Amino acid sequence: GADHGADESVITDDMVLQGVMKEFSRAQPQPWVQPSGGHDAYGKYIHVTHNDAVWQSTVDANVWEPGVSGWTQVT
């Protein structure tokens, strides 16, 4: 079998999942919940609601509260 890991043009399931999550969160942002660690931190471009506003994460592995660090208010 071919070594798909060596081909940078291959789109992985994880890449597809990240893209779907970004688009879904933009269309229907969910309330922000404090992550307990890296496994449930917010990815870059994910949208959430917090304090009557919508926020977009500006960093990967974001565990900060919107308004504190790592977020841009979009509404």
Side-chain angles (χ1 to χ4, degrees):
D3 178 8
H4 294 295
D7 185 347
E8 293 180 5
S9 69
V10 170
I11 298 172
T12 65
D13 289 347
D14 189 57
M15 291 163 69
V16 172
L17 176 61
Q18 293 300 318
V20 169
M21 289 172 61
K22 289 172 190 173
E23 290 305 313
F24 178 79
S25 76
R26 188 183 346 263
Q28 296 185 338
Q30 300 298 304
W32 177 82
V33 177
Q34 174 68 61
S36 58
H39 66 283
D40 62 349
Y42 291 93
K44 192 172 185 180
Y45 307 117
I46 295 295
H47 288 65
V48 299
T49 58
H50 188 61
N51 291 342
D52 298 319
V54 176
W55 302 82
Q56 176 181 308
S57 177
T58 58
V59 296
D60 280 317
N62 191 346
V63 297
W64 297 96
E65 179 179 355
V68 175
S69 180
W71 298 90
T72 297
Q73 187 172 339
V74 292
T75 66

